[in-house]
Amino acid sequence: MPISDWFKAREGRQYTSATAGRGSDMPDGVWTKCESCKHIIYEGELAENDRVCRHCGYHFDLTAMQRIESLVDEGSFSQVDEGLSGGDPLGFSAAKPYVESLAVARERSGLAEAALTGRARIGGHDVIVGAMDFRFVAASMGSAVGERVTRAFELAAKERTPVVFAIASGGARMQEGMFSLMQMAKTSAAAARLAETGVPYISILTNPTYGGVTASFAVLSDVVLAEPGALVGFTGQRIIEQTIRQKLPKGFQTSEFLVERGMIDEVVARPKLAAHVALLLDYLDADGGERP
Amino acid sequence: MKRRFIMEFERPLIELETKLAELRTLEVAEAPELAAEIDALARDVEELHHETYAHLTPWARVQVARHPDRPKTQDYVAALFADVIELHGDRHFGDDQAMFTALATIHGHRVAVIGHRKGKTTKENIARNFGSPQPEGFRKAMRMMRLAQKFNLPIVTFLDTPGAAPGIEAEERGQAWAIAESLALLSGVRVPVVVVGIGEGGSGGALAIGFGDRLIMLENAYYSVSSPEACASILYKDAGQAETAAGCLKMTADDLVGFGIADEIVREPLGGAHNDPDVVIGAVGERVVAALDMLAGQEPGVLVEKRYSRLRAIGVHEGGEAEPG
């Protein structure tokens, strides 16, 4: 990959490493430019700091696997439903065939779908953990993502294990039409059933979280956390600007904006997230490990 | 007489029909060959009339669904329900005019009615935000769902929205939160829920009151993950491709029944419900009553379990481990 690719605008969403990690297997001599403060950062240093810029605090995008590794106790993650993947129920082909987009997404991410779920521990608490991968059709929710999320909630209810879900998504997956829209109802129903069991659910909203995912399972948690500067909302900014024909206020739809308006509980910087979630679980999952 | 609203797809036909009507006013007694030509044209126009309306494309159905004279929630409520008591407000912020909630009686069933409310005039539509609810609209609907559950009243909802309102205020007041909470509540509400798609079923704003134990769709109503315009603007970066997107999205009543998402279709008169509203409203009334009769005896626990199973079954995927439980 030519070095110029490392400096692509964030829209390009070039991920600088396919593996997570804390520096061990990083290629030497690779430098990354911070998209916010433009500082040139050594790749190894970035990885060590959970991919947060030491100069300005900018949070780089994480892949789903990087996200999980940054959140859970080391070596504790085991994936469930690894092979669960979606199809092309509408035979959708606008601009380009959906099956092609899926193939590209699988190739690029190495994942079967945009959500990754499994068992892990956070601060010693057993959890069902989930994360989403923006490289996979903008981490949009189609049948397979909806099914994985629903199964994660059902598994958590059955095993009485808390859910911690790190969310990023462009919204419902257009290419699966009504099957996608109905995943909003399906995942919300599963979240509601989990809530009835008294098993805690903590969601972490990361940049960006929009549309049908925000408006369903993402915010049906007991505690909603978000990363600094994450954009979270229902309607995307471009659509709102087109609709109201005016510029949006600075900081609109950022996690700081949302905490001010009472919509989320706390903005937590990524390096502190795991400890923050662990402490929350100490309160909400006090009987952790003692469950039958 | 009120000026007729012309949908894009019927424009060529209506231009021809207008021309034909003009020709008909000519004095043709002296020119039999002209009369014969006019008759031939009339036959062509009749054929085109049938072709135009008999097999509507998805994009044409969207236009029919948006027709200003199409029966609206308030028309169904006025014609089908007795002893209507409208209840206002969400108890938090305001009374969203884009969302209608009322207690009402249909054929002996006392129910809670929840519906998107569009206007018929520009003034009404501005007051009702063209049927696009703000967060307080969904919270108003939720307030009604809770009331219905508390007093064991089945819920009948009418879907007719282009989508939840986009905007600064909507985001500030938690549009996504309002919709998500409505979905969670509706999924577990312990009374029967009958949903009727009467016009536009736009995205999360429709879904928030748009699923339950029975989904009845009007023939030309649509229900979609996104409006065809939004889909086109995202996938093609060109809202002008909406016609193509409407076809790709598989959002018609027939599509939905095919997918097992909708249960039944109420057929409309040629050209759309606005051509004979009374017949369509009456047919909807019969189906709603039949659904309420069918669901009336069900034990609440069973009802909610079946609703969950219905949702649970929607989706096309493969692989993964055996489902838990």
Side-chain angles (χ1 to χ4, degrees):
Chain A
M1 180 186 287
I3 193 72
S4 60
D5 280 2
W6 296 106
F7 298 91
K8 275 214 169 149
R10 56 166 297 101
E11 286 74 32
R13 295 200 170 268
Q14 284 288 325
Y15 287 77
T16 47
S17 164
T19 52
R22 315 211 160 181
S24 57
D25 53 359
M26 286 295 133
D28 274 337
V30 177
W31 300 81
T32 299
K33 186 176 178 181
C34 175
E35 288 160 37
S36 177
C37 72
K38 313 296 178 202
H39 264 96
I40 308 290
I41 312 164
Y42 178 53
E43 182 57 36
E45 179 192 323
L46 193 57
E48 251 172 50
N49 199 37
D50 288 307
R51 310 197 70 74
V52 175
C53 174
R54 282 196 200 282
H55 306 279
C56 70
Y58 176 77
H59 285 51
F60 284 75
D61 296 329
L62 295 184
T63 67
M65 196 52 97
Q66 285 174 334
R67 167 66 60 187
I68 284 173
E69 290 186 2
S70 82
L71 207 52
V72 306
D73 298 352
E74 203 175 337
S76 68
F77 178 68
S78 66
Q79 196 177 339
V80 297
D81 292 318
E82 187 167 350
L84 198 155
S85 63
D88 179 20
L90 309 187
F92 193 94
S93 184
K96 84 170 154 188
Y98 177 43
V99 284
E100 266 179 34
S101 310
L102 281 178
V104 167
R106 284 178 188 138
E107 170 76 26
R108 188 153 52 146
S109 65
L111 301 172
E113 256 295 344
L116 203 58
T117 54
R119 293 184 175 84
R121 280 188 306 281
I122 296 177
H125 293 272
D126 285 332
V127 293
I128 303 296
V129 69
M132 301 176 78
D133 203 302
F134 210 85
R135 295 171 301 173
F136 203 108
V137 198
S140 51
M141 176 161 67
S143 299
V145 169
E147 182 67 17
R148 280 180 183 227
V149 169
T150 301
R151 287 190 190 186
F153 288 139
E154 288 176 344
L155 185 63
K158 184 180 164 224
E159 299 186 351
R160 299 198 59 76
T161 306
V163 177
V164 177
F165 219 114
I167 292 149
S169 179
R173 189 169 298 169
M174 205 88 66
Q175 297 92 329
E176 291 183 33
M178 274 302 282
F179 289 102
S180 293
L181 189 73
M182 296 306 292
Q183 302 308 309
M184 291 171 65
K186 183 167 120 182
T187 56
S188 297
R193 284 161 86 96
L194 178 69
E196 279 174 21
T197 66
V199 170
Y201 164 32
I202 296 167
S203 61
I204 302 162
L205 310 182
T206 75
N207 189 48
T209 301
Y210 273 97
V213 168
T214 318
S216 64
F217 73 95
V219 300
L220 292 172
S221 49
D222 298 298
V223 177
V224 191
L225 305 176
E227 287 193 335
L231 289 175
V232 177
F234 181 63
T235 308
Q237 301 204 344
R238 191 167 56 93
I239 304 277
I240 297 179
E241 279 185 341
Q242 282 169 4
T243 309
I244 64 174
R245 294 192 180 85
Q246 64 188 67
K247 278 296 216 190
L248 296 170
K250 199 169 177 294
F252 181 65
Q253 291 182 327
T254 59
S255 46
E256 293 79 6
F257 168 95
L258 290 170
V259 79
E260 251 178 43
R261 280 156 187 81
M263 300 317 301
I264 61 176
D265 288 289
E266 184 76 288
V267 179
V268 183
R270 189 179 296 158
K272 295 181 176 161
L273 255 179
H276 198 91
V277 169
L279 184 57
L280 274 170
L281 289 173
D282 288 345
Y283 284 96
L284 308 180
D285 183 45
D287 62 345
E290 302 291 313
R291 286 178 296 273
Chain B
M1 200 184 119
K2 193 181 152 196
R3 220 175 130 196
R4 180 174 175 186
F5 179 86
I6 299 172
M7 295 175 280
E8 183 189 301
F9 74 91
E10 62 181 0
R11 189 170 298 279
L13 170 69
I14 288 176
E15 277 167 9
L16 267 183
E17 284 179 337
T18 311
K19 284 224 175 69
L20 180 65
E22 281 166 17
L23 288 175
R24 289 278 195 217
T25 63
L26 295 178
E27 198 53 63
V28 291
E30 308 293 311
E33 62 289 354
L34 184 59
E37 270 185 44
I38 293 175
D39 286 343
L41 179 65
R43 280 191 296 276
D44 287 351
V45 169
E46 202 179 299
E47 202 171 299
L48 182 64
H49 183 97
H50 185 77
E51 267 174 38
T52 302
Y53 295 118
H55 305 288
L56 296 181
T57 64
W59 180 235
R61 290 189 198 278
V62 170
Q63 293 167 52
V64 173
R66 291 172 178 170
H67 196 290
D69 298 332
R70 188 172 177 82
K72 305 282 188 278
T73 295
Q74 53 273 30
D75 298 315
Y76 289 93
V77 171
L80 297 175
F81 293 84
D83 300 333
V84 178
I85 301 177
E86 184 174 357
L87 300 177
H88 293 273
D90 72 337
R91 300 298 183 273
H92 293 285
F93 182 83
D95 181 35
D96 194 334
Q97 297 301 306
M99 187 68 80
F100 171 82
T101 60
L103 300 173
T105 305
I106 181 166
H107 210 266
H109 293 280
R110 292 198 184 280
V111 301
V113 174
I114 302 174
H116 302 107
R117 182 159 52 183
K118 285 185 179 177
K120 295 224 158 174
T121 61
T122 306
K123 196 179 158 200
E124 269 183 4
N125 260 322
I126 289 168
R128 296 170 184 179
N129 200 26
F130 298 84
S132 288
Q134 302 285 351
E136 51 271 24
F138 298 112
R139 293 185 175 121
K140 177 178 175 179
M142 276 188 265
R143 181 260 170 153
M144 201 64 191
M145 293 173 198
R146 291 193 187 95
L147 192 80
Q149 173 165 271
K150 182 170 178 182
F151 298 103
N152 200 27
L153 302 167
I155 296 169
V156 178
T157 78
F158 292 97
L159 311 185
D160 194 10
T161 181
I168 294 176
E169 294 191 343
E171 297 293 319
E172 284 184 322
R173 297 201 288 272
Q175 188 67 286
W177 279 253
I179 293 170
E181 284 159 14
S182 191
L183 297 176
L185 180 59
L186 190 56
S187 73
V189 73
R190 294 170 66 81
V191 292
V193 179
V194 176
V195 180
V196 192
I198 59 171
E200 293 195 85
S203 187
L207 186 68
I209 62 165
F211 68 97
D213 308 308
R214 191 86 185 161
L215 175 54
I216 302 163
M217 290 288 290
L218 260 65
E219 183 180 0
N220 295 313
Y222 79 82
Y223 200 169
S224 175
V225 66
S226 103
S227 73
E229 287 88 350
C231 175
S233 123
I234 292 167
L235 295 181
Y236 293 100
K237 315 279 178 234
D238 174 11
Q241 294 280 348
E243 178 164 9
T244 316
C248 294
L249 284 166
K250 303 275 192 327
M251 53 199 261
T252 67
D254 283 314
D255 291 326
L256 263 64
V257 168
F259 295 150
I261 293 171
D263 299 289
E264 55 182 318
I265 298 175
V266 174
R267 296 289 161 193
E268 297 183 26
L270 195 66
H274 57 279
N275 288 331
D276 198 346
D278 293 345
V279 165
V280 174
I281 292 171
V284 166
E286 283 171 24
R287 305 299 181 88
V288 168
V289 170
L292 288 170
D293 287 343
M294 179 185 75
L295 296 166
Q298 299 210 16
E299 197 269 315
V302 174
L303 195 65
V304 169
E305 206 54 42
K306 276 191 188 163
R307 192 180 307 146
Y308 187 72
S309 302
R310 255 171 86 93
L311 284 177
R312 199 66 195 75
I314 300 173
V316 174
H317 49 79
E318 56 181 26
E321 287 144 36
E323 286 177 37

